[in-house]
Amino acid sequence: MIDVIWGTAKEKPESSRRLAEKVGDLTANGQLYIGYPVMGSPLGPIKFDALLVSPELGLIAFDLVEGTEIGGYKERQDEVASMLEVKFKPYPNLKQGRALKFDINVVTFAPAKITVPDSEEPYFIANSGNLSNLLEDFTWASDHITFTALVAAVQVVTSIRAGKLKREPKKIDSKGARLKRVEDSIANLDQHQSQAVIETVEGVQRIRGLAGSGKTIILALKVAYLHSQNPEWKIAVTFNTRSLKEQFRRLINNFTIEQTGSEPDWAQIDILNAWGGPGGKERDGIYHRYCLEHNIDFLDYTAGKAKFGQNNELKGVSSLALAQTTSENPHYDLVLVDEAQDLPPEFLRLCYTFLREPKRLVYAYDELQSLTGQAVLTPEELFGTRKDGKPVVTFGPEEASSPRQDIILEKCYRNSRPLLATAHAIGFGIYRNNGLVQFFEQDSLWTDVGYVVESGKLVGGEVVTLARTPNTSPLFLEEHSPVEDLIQFHKFDSSTAQTAWLVNAIKNDIREEELRPEDIVVINPNPLTTQKEVAPARQALFIDGINNELAGVSTSADVFSKLDAVTFTGIFRAKGNEAGMVYIMNAQDCYSGWDKAATALARNRLFTAITRSKAWVRVLGIGTQMDKLMEELLLLKQREFKLSFRYPTAEEKAQLILINKGKASKRRSKQRRELQAVIDAVNSGELDADHIIAQLSKSKRVK
Amino acid sequence: MSADLIATNLTDVLSRLIAAGLSVQQVFPSQRTLKDGVVSIGDLPLSSAALKNTSYQTIYQEIEQNHAFHAKLIDGGLLIFQYKVTANGEILQHRLAYFPAPLLPTMEEAPALYENDELFADIVLERLVRFPIRFDFAPAQFIELQHPKSHLTLGQFEGCRIPVTGPIGPHAFMLFLVRNFYSRAYFRRRNIFEKKFKAINFPHSITDAERKISHLVII
């Protein structure tokens, strides 16, 4: 079967559609790219109408004729063929001596023409009637290895990890050497990913996938691809974590240069924080831009928090801005939102409003990063309804002749199978003594995110066993080290003992195992204690000559630390980052919270922390809570990192979801919030604790 | 007072700032021997003195991006410690500087943002006025009542050279800063900052004429 991958085909929509139909009917295998690739030339970027890569038929480029005017098709074909030759020649695997190992065939396709001139080699031409026959006569003349290399070359992306320091390990089996081998294996995009890059929807598109499935890279490539095709478009990329900004800038820059040979026009591309503030492009953000363009009062973070309360800041200011919008003033042609699971629906609606027709919005999110399934709002719910009650956005059925609106990336290229299974088992509480703590609303999500049902059924009350396969969790991610080395849990008697062990382990990683300091991240899951908890270890390392930094608002927090330093971070800033070796301190804080919702939240933190690792994880902790956490791991290990449990019934599931949406006890949570506000005020010195206690005991006496 | 003692003290200062959770990034201070056995401590890739006549924001950015500092504090404040000492241990020169972040709220303005590691901490509109603070010791440039050997410069005022009694050690500079500009953190982690250390006794360099005008006594 031939997969059709839809790029933008706006200049030649009809002929593109006819081509997709005709090629889709062929019995051969392969991929047909429409509106792809784009290439740099001395005269500026050149876009190809369509390109077919097939193990049976070989490489065929198409010159599409939208109307009936064929024109100088031979010149056009010459141009296409020589451009492709320029594109493929630099790849050593594709040539023998000075010549390519295969033919570049070009076919002019004019579906609207009743008759076309006869083909005379190498100038092929066809209409709807004879295209299939013509195509079936082509053959791939070279071997399979060359074909694989050709596919990789068509999909570009040779340097996803460009900019990263080269590592030169001396010992053949040190961790440094093993990490290098893992990184080299991830150099290319897979089929799904490259499809996600190219397929362009004239409307809303959703990309879902686990952490490490390549969402950020896909979005950056998409920007590069669409910017080279449509230099007149105003494009915005937005996200929650500041640390992504540098990463996006670098990726988009590299990819655009790779595709077109020149740098992107940064006047057309905005890489923006979700919020933003005044002070030029560097500090700008979507919400701030929106306020400016719509003449709405901008609220800064402090004002937002005061008005809408903690954790509701962005939600509050976004919905306020939407409500204050008197007439829409769209500004962008394309908006891409990364980490949408961490952004409120109101913010996505704001982005949507900010778009010109046809409202091209691409949002990527991780089904599991918030685990509760809360983020899994359907597009209908997410974007709300019109005045007539119809949803603003709805995904149509999938058709071969149009780009997909809903893309799922099921392969995880960051975390090995045991790591991911551990993260999920802990996150959901699969092996927890007191049962599950949270769950997916939709059963299909399990398979969507790459699990297969090994035994049992996804039916309430039945025992089911879920496992990841080499297909969704590539083996090279785990084969480099024995499973006992991939993930370890360590319990300590005291915080001091934990720190001492951590410091020694890091010294060993750097001095014996040839890891670089920036390969190592230490995460403290409780955001309120990070500064204090990590200080002793940081100090000990510094005195020992190992530099380190604490990720915070003032550090750029790009994955690529320039200071040769081990990174210590709280959980919020860990998101979006990855490292070879991840140490998690004080994991006991993640075993449980004061109620089920808090337990879920605490476990999500551990989930996020574990999934930062490209190779190894060390979970450290203190006390009995840590013992219980280790019992869960033991059960998981005994079951070979499979999730085996009694599937919850619809009722139980509803209960779990309700808890996590926080609807269970609004009143109680309000009281808790108020109490927290008082405690905060005491901590910050605004209120005097003794005074409050005195007052409280007085009011008790009155009663 | 030898170069080694200054270097040890400097490392101790940085390690205290880490222990207090104040320093988020550090650059190990280098030690280099120049001509005639002069030892230079804390060389950096970029001299902040070269950035005259530029806006404060640009100065800060240049220093930050080139990692031309020895410690970056949690609110983005940058600290620089540079000393030059002769072969027989006599202090020739120093430059101690503090550059607060021009755009982030300071630790004093919004402590909760930093202590709770809030994500949008950089989006706060109201800000205090920011200005760099510098303690220079440059006896070679001495002019009576115009250019004191040891002086304090506030902001980017060309002629601001408040006489100081003498050269300043790394601990004294750190304590001056944290007591005045990070007082909340200072009082919370006072034990860390005030823990005993081996002080360097610099001879006074202030002149009698300077003592008769407003000047700063560093203890």
Side-chain angles (χ1 to χ4, degrees):
Chain A
M1 206 194 116
I2 292 178
D3 280 328
V4 182
I5 297 149
W6 283 87
T8 58
K10 60 179 174 6
E11 291 106 6
K12 299 178 178 175
E14 192 51 28
S15 50
S16 302
R17 198 179 57 77
R18 297 291 291 274
L19 178 70
E21 282 170 13
K22 286 281 163 203
V23 171
D25 289 342
L26 296 176
T27 50
N29 295 302
Q31 294 96 38
L32 174 70
Y33 294 89
I34 307 242
Y36 185 85
V38 181
M39 275 188 67
S41 86
L43 305 171
I46 287 186
K47 182 181 134 188
F48 289 78
D49 289 342
L51 193 69
L52 174 66
V53 201
S54 154
E56 292 92 13
L57 308 179
L59 177 73
I60 304 164
F62 292 93
D63 161 48
L64 298 179
V65 177
E66 182 72 3
T68 50
E69 224 33 71
I70 294 177
Y73 71 95
K74 291 185 180 172
E75 289 77 39
R76 291 202 303 272
Q77 291 199 6
D78 288 341
E79 181 71 22
V80 167
S82 51
M83 285 304 294
L84 283 176
E85 196 166 318
V86 170
K87 183 177 172 69
F88 295 129
K89 276 274 175 80
Y91 295 88
N93 305 345
L94 298 183
K95 58 193 172 189
Q96 185 82 58
R98 294 182 192 182
L100 288 172
K101 288 193 214 164
F102 49 87
D103 289 333
I104 294 171
N105 302 305
V106 188
V107 173
T108 294
F109 178 52
K113 286 283 279 184
I114 313 284
T115 55
V116 287
D118 285 340
S119 297
E120 40 183 312
E121 225 169 311
Y123 301 105
F124 300 98
I125 183 161
N127 61 11
S128 291
N130 60 359
L131 181 71
S132 309
N133 288 339
L134 178 75
L135 293 181
E136 275 162 1
D137 283 345
F138 289 112
T139 51
W140 173 249
S142 189
D143 52 28
H144 183 69
I145 296 167
T146 312
F147 182 75
T148 317
L150 173 67
V151 172
V154 167
Q155 291 170 356
V156 201
V157 204
T158 42
S159 49
I160 293 178
R161 276 153 208 282
K164 190 133 194 182
L165 293 162
K166 290 261 180 293
R167 58 177 86 241
E168 279 155 10
K170 292 185 183 69
K171 302 178 193 169
I172 189 153
D173 210 33
S174 67
K175 284 202 162 66
R178 283 181 273 165
L179 191 58
K180 181 179 187 321
R181 291 198 286 273
V182 170
E183 283 173 348
D184 290 346
S185 308
I186 326 180
N188 275 313
L189 288 190
D190 70 21
Q191 187 54 36
H192 264 82
Q193 291 173 316
S194 68
Q195 249 172 289
V197 170
I198 299 161
E199 293 205 307
T200 309
V201 173
E202 297 292 295
V204 177
Q205 187 177 38
R206 164 167 86 167
I207 300 176
R208 292 184 282 166
L210 293 171
S213 56
K215 294 184 297 294
T216 299
I217 284 172
I218 286 170
L219 291 189
L221 270 163
K222 234 178 164 47
V223 172
Y225 168 65
L226 290 173
H227 172 65
S228 356
Q229 287 225 341
N230 312 283
E232 74 285 359
W233 282 7
K234 268 293 229 188
I235 300 177
V237 189
T238 186
F239 40 80
N240 200 0
T241 330
R242 228 168 61 106
S243 57
L244 279 172
K245 190 166 188 144
E246 274 309 303
Q247 209 175 328
F248 265 117
R249 198 197 314 276
R250 200 187 55 244
L251 289 171
I252 293 172
N253 203 49
N254 291 355
F255 292 154
T256 310
I257 292 174
E258 204 158 338
Q259 298 218 332
T260 66
S262 55
E263 288 202 13
D265 175 3
W266 286 112
Q268 295 296 90
I269 305 172
D270 292 341
I271 303 176
L272 299 175
N273 193 320
W275 199 308
K281 211 175 165 177
E282 268 313 298
R283 303 195 25 91
D284 211 349
I286 290 277
Y287 163 67
H288 175 250
R289 261 257 73 88
Y290 187 92
C291 289
L292 284 187
E293 301 282 336
H294 290 85
N295 216 353
I296 293 168
D297 281 344
F298 166 78
L299 297 179
D300 73 352
Y301 180 67
T302 325
K305 189 160 131 187
K307 203 171 169 97
F308 302 105
Q310 182 112 34
N311 300 328
N312 271 323
E313 304 93 351
L314 188 58
K315 182 186 171 79
V317 296
S318 300
S319 69
L320 183 67
L322 284 170
Q324 289 174 337
T325 307
T326 41
S327 72
E328 289 178 18
N329 188 10
H331 187 70
Y332 291 106
D333 299 287
L334 169 68
V335 174
L336 303 100
V337 186
D338 198 3
E339 299 184 319
Q341 79 277 354
D342 293 334
L343 294 163
E346 288 77 5
F347 177 75
L348 281 174
R349 273 178 225 162
L350 186 102
C351 293
Y352 188 81
T353 314
F354 215 8
L355 276 164
R356 277 191 269 273
E357 291 294 336
K359 307 260 185 201
R360 296 181 200 92
L361 179 76
V362 181
Y363 65 104
Y365 68 68
D366 185 343
E367 294 288 2
L368 291 193
Q369 221 161 89
S370 83
L371 278 170
T372 54
Q374 213 176 332
V376 196
L377 280 183
T378 63
E380 289 82 3
E381 292 169 310
L382 202 50
F383 293 99
T385 47
R386 275 185 241 276
K387 285 193 186 94
D388 61 4
K390 285 197 183 126
V392 176
V393 173
T394 179
F395 288 170
E398 219 171 273
E399 287 170 40
S401 60
S402 61
R404 289 172 304 159
Q405 278 193 291
D406 193 10
I407 293 177
I408 296 174
L409 305 163
E410 49 171 28
K411 251 188 196 187
C412 174
Y413 288 97
R414 186 196 289 145
N415 314 126
S416 62
R417 182 187 56 94
L419 289 195
L420 210 50
T422 307
H424 284 155
I426 290 174
F428 289 110
I430 301 276
Y431 296 116
R432 177 174 169 264
N433 251 336
N434 304 324
L436 297 169
V437 286
Q438 51 192 333
F439 214 70
F440 288 147
E441 209 161 342
Q442 295 154 293
D443 301 334
S444 61
L445 273 180
W446 285 108
T447 44
D448 283 351
V449 300
Y451 278 91
V452 291
V453 179
E454 218 179 58
S455 69
K457 276 186 202 143
L458 293 173
V459 172
E462 298 225 13
V463 172
V464 68
T465 302
L466 297 163
R468 296 193 69 81
T469 65
N471 198 22
T472 53
S473 277
L475 284 175
F476 70 84
L477 290 172
E478 60 180 287
E479 282 174 345
H480 57 79
S481 304
V483 75
E484 300 75 47
D485 190 27
L486 289 176
I487 184 154
Q488 294 177 357
F489 279 53
H490 294 279
K491 190 210 155 181
F492 301 94
D493 294 332
S494 67
S495 181
T496 323
Q498 176 180 249
T499 299
W501 189 92
L502 174 68
V503 169
N504 271 326
I506 291 177
K507 279 198 267 186
N508 185 60
D509 287 342
I510 294 174
R511 294 181 181 152
E512 302 299 324
E513 291 288 350
E514 302 188 301
L515 287 178
R516 291 181 321 226
E518 50 278 41
D519 289 327
I520 302 168
V521 165
V522 183
I523 302 173
N524 184 71
N526 182 349
L528 299 182
T529 62
T530 306
Q531 251 183 73
K532 202 166 154 243
E533 288 294 333
V534 303
R538 290 186 58 215
Q539 188 184 25
L541 284 171
F542 183 79
I543 291 173
D544 215 313
I546 294 177
N547 207 352
N548 59 77
E549 56 184 71
L550 175 62
V553 65
S554 63
T555 54
S556 87
D558 191 359
V559 204
F560 308 101
S561 163
K562 292 181 200 92
L563 275 176
D564 242 3
V566 174
T567 302
F568 285 73
T569 176
I571 193 69
F572 298 152
R573 287 175 210 283
K575 278 197 175 180
N577 276 332
E578 58 175 23
M581 174 63 89
V582 172
Y583 290 95
I584 303 164
M585 298 171 68
N586 297 317
Q588 74 279 358
D589 291 348
C590 298
Y591 177 73
S592 64
W594 71 285
D595 68 0
K596 253 193 173 175
T599 302
L601 187 73
R603 283 171 175 256
N604 283 354
R605 289 181 176 154
L606 194 50
F607 172 88
T608 306
I610 293 174
T611 52
R612 296 309 96 203
S613 171
K614 285 193 284 190
W616 306 277
V617 176
R618 305 286 178 260
V619 185
L620 321 179
I622 308 164
T624 49
Q625 303 270 61
M626 189 62 195
D627 286 326
K628 291 183 194 158
L629 213 52
M630 289 170 83
E631 283 164 23
E632 290 183 29
L633 179 79
L634 190 67
L635 286 171
L636 177 68
K637 260 192 182 163
Q638 285 165 357
R639 285 166 181 75
E640 295 169 326
F641 293 95
K642 291 170 187 168
L643 310 182
S644 187
F645 60 105
R646 189 183 146 276
Y647 204 79
T649 61
E651 211 167 277
E652 289 163 339
K653 237 167 40 171
Q655 193 59 34
L656 285 169
I657 288 157
L658 207 61
I659 287 165
N660 291 314
K661 283 189 175 164
K663 285 177 186 160
S665 66
K666 266 204 173 143
R667 193 157 152 245
R668 212 159 45 154
S669 71
K670 192 181 165 218
Q671 285 170 346
R672 189 158 29 114
R673 221 178 25 242
E674 285 166 355
L675 181 61
Q676 191 58 47
V678 174
I679 294 172
D680 286 347
V682 170
N683 283 337
S684 68
E686 280 167 54
L687 285 176
D688 179 39
D690 295 335
H691 181 69
I692 298 173
I693 294 166
Q695 286 216 319
L696 283 175
S697 26
K698 240 189 267 169
S699 65
K700 217 164 131 194
R701 267 200 300 275
V702 173
K703 275 178 188 172
Chain B
M1 132 228 54
S2 69
D4 287 339
L5 182 56
I6 293 182
T8 319
N9 273 357
L10 183 43
T11 312
D12 179 58
V13 161
L14 294 177
S15 114
R16 287 177 197 224
L17 288 170
I18 295 173
L22 260 190
S23 173
V24 293
Q25 278 182 342
Q26 312 71 228
V27 172
F28 281 112
S30 65
Q31 202 171 329
R32 198 161 55 99
T33 308
L34 311 172
K35 208 169 66 169
D36 303 330
V38 171
V39 181
S40 174
I41 301 158
D43 284 350
L44 288 168
L46 176 100
S47 164
S48 54
L51 296 163
K52 275 185 181 159
N53 305 320
T54 21
S55 76
Y56 180 54
Q57 204 165 323
T58 316
I59 296 177
Y60 178 88
Q61 270 174 9
E62 285 293 319
I63 300 174
E64 191 204 6
Q65 283 165 10
N66 290 292
H67 291 123
F69 54 80
H70 293 106
K72 183 196 274 181
L73 305 188
I74 194 157
D75 63 354
L78 303 176
L79 297 184
I80 293 173
F81 300 83
Q82 293 175 308
Y83 289 88
K84 273 200 185 105
V85 187
T86 62
N88 45 27
E90 194 184 332
I91 182 154
L92 273 180
Q93 213 182 327
H94 75 51
R95 183 180 192 83
L96 306 165
Y98 167 63
F99 293 89
L103 295 175
L104 293 172
T106 63
M107 185 81 175
E108 301 281 271
E109 281 172 289
L113 295 188
Y114 295 106
E115 282 155 17
N116 303 348
D117 195 20
E118 296 188 17
L119 270 184
F120 291 108
D122 52 334
I123 303 161
V124 173
L125 286 180
E126 285 158 38
R127 292 185 200 104
L128 297 172
V129 174
R130 302 297 143 80
F131 57 92
I133 294 167
R134 229 169 58 215
F135 284 98
D136 285 349
F137 179 69
Q141 292 166 324
F142 172 75
I143 304 172
E144 181 80 279
L145 294 179
Q146 256 187 50
H147 202 132
K149 287 178 184 169
S150 184
H151 60 262
L152 164 67
T153 303
L154 301 175
Q156 289 163 280
F157 291 91
E158 186 72 36
C160 174
R161 292 188 200 94
I162 303 159
V164 176
T165 44
I168 300 166
H171 284 91
F173 178 54
M174 170 192 75
L175 286 167
F176 174 83
L177 270 177
V178 293
R179 279 189 197 127
N180 292 296
F181 305 100
Y182 294 86
S183 62
R184 182 184 157 99
Y186 168 76
F187 283 111
R188 283 188 164 189
R189 319 306 304 274
R190 203 169 172 170
N191 53 336
I192 294 177
F193 293 117
E194 296 286 2
K195 210 174 116 194
K196 272 210 156 152
F197 59 93
K198 193 164 185 242
I200 308 168
N201 288 315
F202 292 110
H204 276 186
S205 63
I206 192 164
T207 64
D208 289 340
E210 283 165 3
R211 277 191 200 276
K212 289 191 181 119
I213 61 169
S214 303
H215 63 275
L216 193 69
V217 181
I218 284 282
I219 301 179

